[in-house]
Amino acid sequence: MSEYIVKENALVDFFKSLASGRRLLTPQGLGDKCKLEETPPDKVNLDFSNTHMSPKSLLFPQTEALMAFHNDASKPQAFVYQSLGDKGEPLAVFGIRPCDAKGLSIANKVFQNDRFTDNYWKGKIDQAVLVGLACDNPSPQCFCAAMGGSPFGEAGLDVLAFRQGKDLGLKPLTPKGEELVKASGAQTANLADAIKGLEAEAVKSQGVPPDYKGIDNADLMALFNDPHWLATAENCLNCGVCTFFCPTCHCFDIQDETSEKGGVRMRNWDTCMSWLFTVHGTGHNPRPSKTERVRQRFMHKLKYIPLKQDGVRGCTGCGRCVAMCPVNIDIRSVALKMTQTAASQA
Amino acid sequence: MPALTDITNKIRESAKKLLASGQAEVVIGYRQGTIPMTTSPFFARTADECDLLVWSNFARINLANYLPGRAGKVAMVAKGCDARSAIGQVTENQILKDNLYIIGVPCTGMIDTNLVVAKEARPIREVVETADDSITVKGQGFSTDIKKDEVLRRNCKTCVNRTPKLANELVGQEVNGAAADDFADIKALLAKTPAERMGYFKDLIKDCLRCYACRNACPLCYCPVCFVDETRPQWLGKSTDPMDTMTFHLLRGLHCAGRCTSCGACETACPVNIKVREFNRVMELTVQNNWNYEPGLSWDQKPPLTMFQTDDAADFIK
Ligand code: SF4
Ligand code: SF4
Ligand code: SF4
Ligand code: SF4
């Protein structure tokens, strides 16, 4: 696939073509109000840093009703749960950052893999085309490069868009993306070298990435049993903000709620930071204190997910948890401690 | 010497003495955060660790939150509001007075980072805190001075008890707070119709994620199991249903009535910037009006909602 270019004066037409037959969602609003919203093609904003929350709620809403039943015995199928469908719709999402797209690709392997498929996730992602916008000026909180990504990363995207002066460069990455770009009337252009140059500069702005490779090679139990977890977790509030904001956190809780008329089964975001997350019906809790819970979060991100997903880390370096944690527990400092454990074991 | 540096030095000195003399096994303070405009609660147990303690305009989390149920002798660094929370915990039997040592910092107010970002929207890569009445934020190609007065947290603007007078020691010069918190905003709110008030509070929490960071950051919320987490029976749904969310906030407000010291930790912790304290302020005013009570101002006062008096103004109780 070659690259394409959309000239500044053709941008609105490009977004019109994205919006044709689909809803166009792009980041709108500033700071903590920045979120993916339906956008008229002439109102797309390219000057944002990132959405306040990750885009995962597009595919995995905080609350999603999965099934429902009615209790009117005079009608058929009383008291029988019926699926409410996946609620997928044709979407073009423009402006996803590479860290977040990579985050979705990691969660995607949890919801769709060789063992099972979650139709509620699949129904949405199949109808969405994801156009990322590369970061030419990463925020101070970003560390995608340290986590094996890049401000121009491609994982999870159908198309990578990038600013080329005042124009918009496009690199299709999937057949779905190629089709979208071709239909938009964008001009082909050879931009491979331009991308390389822009990417190198953006990566440079994040400084020399720390090396966490030690964690990948370290013995799992050595990392698990290291005494540092006690101190690492000591100031944690167990609030779960880190997990709610993380693009790769995907744990959920299934709940049934009933009313006079029937009931609904829904799926809600859950958080491993909560005491309730692991408590058994007997009252036994295998993760009784915040030390075990904090360890779980970081071991999951930096050791268990890489083991299951061919070395890809469960943290993409979006920096949200670092910025949002009320007590500044910084995954980079924790990764460093884990790297030190690994080194002392070697 | 800038006031913050002076306080930092005195905190370190005091912490070392307390650890060396055995008056404390751990000193809970703040260390510098890993990103600009943050600090991180820090537990110092050795002299070297004491040298990591700092004072800053961003020491916003209330460290009394780490006290309940703690065994052994503990010292904490406390602003005026935080010291009142700790004293409240002593009166609520959450920690023994003899086990607690308060290193009191006369506080000139903490900064709301959202207000800073509202003044300087470009990405901030560094903050300089050497001046007493302003900060300087820096980023790619800019350096902006911001007056501290203009970016104080709203609870700090109306804070009356900035100097923790009941602390075991004070580090730094005593400061005067606001003359009084007149609750003008809350009085105006309470003058509205019930429907208008409901509308106000519904709008206030419309973005709430129910992450419970406000609860977990609050030194009053030390219940072993919060009612929202109870499962047998389950009082509250787990979805984003607005009524469940409202129930959480209303009940939390009631549970904190007469106990909140307006430390602002809840609002600092909230990731979507909800003014959680609105609920608490209504209850504070109500408790002040009914029982002329403010929490954390003496070691032996009893929270009004935990006691019974035969001369109570309310009829139903007699
Ligand atoms: S790491 Fe921070 S954001 Fe996560 S649960 Fe702990 S205090 Fe909350
Ligand atoms: S762990 Fe933190 S930095 Fe990493 S992807 Fe999740 S929210 Fe982003
Ligand atoms: S409710 Fe908020 S302001 Fe009041 S004591 Fe708790 S954290 Fe502090
Ligand atoms: S911290 Fe904010 S978002 Fe979280 S439960 Fe409290 S008010 Fe809601």
Side-chain angles (χ1 to χ4, degrees):
Chain A
M1 293 178 202
S2 97
E3 295 82 34
Y4 294 74
I5 191 139
V6 181
K7 293 281 177 205
E8 190 191 6
N9 59 12
L11 277 173
V12 174
D13 284 337
F14 169 71
F15 290 118
K16 270 190 193 147
S17 115
L18 255 56
S20 117
R22 314 175 191 86
R23 286 210 301 143
L24 172 66
L25 304 184
T26 75
Q28 296 285 310
L30 287 174
D32 69 332
K33 300 280 175 269
C34 184
K35 58 176 173 232
L36 289 171
E37 272 173 10
E38 182 150 13
T39 312
D42 59 340
K43 291 278 174 332
V44 178
N45 171 23
L46 302 179
D47 288 307
F48 61 92
S49 61
N50 201 353
T51 50
H52 188 53
M53 296 196 72
S54 87
K56 72 178 171 190
S57 52
L58 275 183
L59 307 173
F60 171 45
Q62 182 171 2
T63 293
E64 180 169 19
L66 307 179
M67 310 176 201
F69 68 83
H70 68 82
N71 59 8
D72 183 346
S74 67
K75 298 211 176 96
Q77 303 281 11
F79 300 104
V80 180
Y81 264 127
Q82 307 286 339
S83 170
L84 293 171
D86 57 48
K87 299 182 202 74
E89 55 173 338
L91 282 184
V93 190
F94 176 87
I96 292 197
R97 291 302 190 184
C99 54
D100 286 343
K102 185 179 167 197
L104 294 180
S105 78
I106 291 165
N108 188 49
K109 294 204 180 95
V110 176
F111 288 105
Q112 302 194 67
N113 51 51
D114 51 12
R115 288 194 298 147
F116 48 71
T117 300
D118 181 277
N119 288 325
Y120 299 92
W121 171 280
K122 181 177 166 39
K124 294 187 192 71
I125 199 168
D126 282 356
Q127 295 197 65
V129 41
L130 305 180
V131 185
L133 183 60
C135 303
D136 37 25
N137 184 17
S139 299
Q141 72 197 47
C142 299
F143 52 97
C144 52
M147 287 300 168
S150 154
F152 279 65
E154 300 174 354
L157 289 170
D158 294 307
V159 181
L160 177 71
F162 54 96
R163 297 228 237 182
Q164 176 62 359
K166 295 195 162 170
D167 306 333
L168 194 67
L170 299 171
K171 180 176 180 190
L173 303 163
T174 62
K176 203 201 274 187
E178 177 101 52
E179 199 183 309
L180 180 94
V181 169
K182 280 195 176 141
S184 79
Q187 308 289 310
T188 53
N190 189 348
L191 297 171
D193 288 341
I195 294 178
K196 262 195 209 124
L198 289 168
E199 179 172 23
E201 223 164 277
V203 168
K204 209 169 81 195
S205 79
Q206 291 188 8
V208 181
D211 181 356
Y212 305 129
K213 274 195 214 73
I215 304 175
D216 304 336
N217 305 324
D219 174 52
L220 188 150
M221 288 318 288
L223 293 173
F224 188 88
N225 287 323
D226 193 281
H228 83 77
W229 293 114
L230 204 61
T232 301
E234 196 163 23
N235 62 351
C236 175
L237 304 174
N238 267 187
C239 60
V241 164
C242 46
T243 60
F244 280 29
F245 277 75
C246 180
T248 74
C249 277
H250 50 258
C251 288
F252 55 79
D253 180 22
I254 303 269
Q255 292 262 323
D256 287 351
E257 281 189 9
T258 50
S259 65
E260 321 79 69
K261 292 195 179 130
V264 49
R265 173 160 296 174
M266 58 184 110
R267 162 157 87 184
N268 303 299
W269 288 357
D270 204 345
T271 167
C272 59
M273 292 290 113
S274 159
W275 153 90
L276 192 57
F277 187 75
T278 43
V279 74
H280 295 179
T282 58
H284 170 69
N285 195 337
R287 290 187 205 134
S289 80
K290 62 182 173 185
T291 308
E292 293 86 17
R293 301 196 273 275
V294 167
R295 173 173 64 194
Q296 163 60 24
R297 172 166 165 249
F298 292 111
M299 286 293 284
H300 195 189
K301 294 262 175 273
L302 301 174
K303 192 66 186 171
Y304 309 149
I305 289 180
L307 279 175
K308 290 206 166 168
Q309 297 203 10
D310 304 323
V312 175
R313 296 198 180 103
C315 168
T316 68
C318 76
R320 284 192 186 82
C321 61
V322 178
M324 304 310 299
C325 173
V327 299
N328 183 236
I329 292 179
D330 186 326
I331 189 167
R332 294 168 296 182
S333 317
V334 181
L336 221 52
K337 283 191 199 171
M338 292 170 74
T339 309
Q340 283 158 3
T341 312
S344 71
Q345 297 293 323
Chain B
M1 188 192 304
L4 293 178
T5 317
D6 183 42
I7 294 171
T8 295
N9 291 338
K10 286 185 173 143
I11 289 174
R12 289 178 185 176
E13 210 176 293
S14 168
K16 284 179 196 167
K17 263 194 222 145
L18 291 166
L19 290 178
S21 68
Q23 264 178 292
E25 291 155 26
V26 57
V27 179
I28 312 179
Y30 303 89
R31 66 156 171 70
Q32 204 53 255
T34 58
I35 52 173
M37 304 199 285
T38 57
T39 59
S40 183
F42 180 66
F43 295 69
R45 293 187 173 84
T46 63
D48 282 352
E49 285 172 352
C50 290
D51 283 331
L52 295 174
L53 294 171
V54 295
W55 192 245
S56 139
N57 289 307
F58 303 96
R60 293 166 301 193
I61 287 295
N62 184 341
L63 303 178
N65 192 33
Y66 297 103
L67 297 179
R70 190 171 273 277
K73 293 198 170 292
V74 53
M76 76 174 271
V77 175
K79 310 183 278 293
C81 49
D82 307 345
R84 287 176 61 203
S85 302
I87 293 160
Q89 290 173 343
V90 169
T91 65
E92 294 176 10
N93 299 321
Q94 292 308 305
I95 180 152
L96 291 173
K97 185 180 175 190
D98 287 347
N99 279 353
L100 175 65
Y101 186 101
I102 300 178
I103 304 171
V105 185
C107 173
T108 52
M110 292 293 138
I111 289 178
D112 181 342
T113 47
N114 295 305
L115 297 178
V116 175
V117 172
K119 284 186 182 288
E120 179 49 84
R122 288 171 284 185
I124 294 169
R125 290 175 197 265
E126 190 191 342
V127 55
V128 184
E129 300 184 66
T130 44
D132 288 345
D133 56 357
S134 67
I135 56 167
T136 307
V137 291
K138 298 182 177 178
Q140 244 166 27
F142 71 90
S143 168
T144 311
D145 294 334
I146 297 176
K147 285 254 162 297
K148 191 169 155 174
D149 277 357
E150 294 170 9
V151 288
L152 280 187
R153 295 189 303 176
R154 57 193 204 108
N155 58 309
C156 298
K157 281 188 195 136
T158 54
C159 175
V160 182
N161 301 288
R162 288 185 168 190
T163 301
K165 295 208 170 109
L166 297 181
N168 298 69
E169 77 176 289
L170 285 181
V171 290
Q173 298 296 313
E174 279 202 36
V175 287
N176 294 325
D181 180 357
D182 60 8
F183 284 90
D185 49 340
I186 299 297
K187 285 177 184 157
L189 177 63
L190 292 180
K192 297 191 170 163
T193 65
E196 284 169 337
R197 293 205 298 264
M198 192 46 137
Y200 174 79
F201 282 108
K202 272 188 181 159
D203 186 59
L204 188 76
I205 59 169
K206 67 176 188 309
D207 293 331
C208 176
L209 302 165
R210 276 216 274 152
C211 63
Y212 304 131
C214 49
R215 173 197 71 183
N216 290 20
C218 177
L220 309 173
C221 286
Y222 51 66
C223 289
V225 178
C226 177
F227 74 95
V228 305
D229 290 335
E230 294 265 11
T231 52
R232 286 179 290 190
Q234 181 173 320
W235 304 106
L236 217 58
K238 300 277 179 199
S239 72
T240 45
D241 183 287
M243 187 48 89
D244 285 330
T245 305
M246 181 60 87
T247 307
F248 160 61
H249 284 287
L250 290 177
L251 261 79
R252 180 167 175 277
L254 286 165
H255 285 182
C256 297
R259 305 164 64 220
C260 168
T261 62
S262 285
C263 69
C266 48
E267 293 185 354
T268 293
C270 178
V272 292
N273 300 318
I274 288 172
K275 287 152 80 184
V276 193
R277 236 162 32 83
E278 291 298 271
F279 293 95
N280 302 95
R281 274 170 67 70
V282 172
M283 296 320 298
E284 285 327 291
L285 182 62
T286 309
V287 169
Q288 282 183 25
N289 286 346
N290 283 288
W291 296 286
N292 191 23
Y293 177 90
E294 287 181 69
L297 296 178
S298 96
W299 290 103
D300 39 39
Q301 64 192 144
K302 283 275 168 266
L305 298 187
T306 66
M307 55 187 282
F308 170 75
Q309 279 175 328
T310 46
D311 61 349
D312 196 287
D315 278 337
F316 75 91
I317 210 162
K318 289 178 185 159

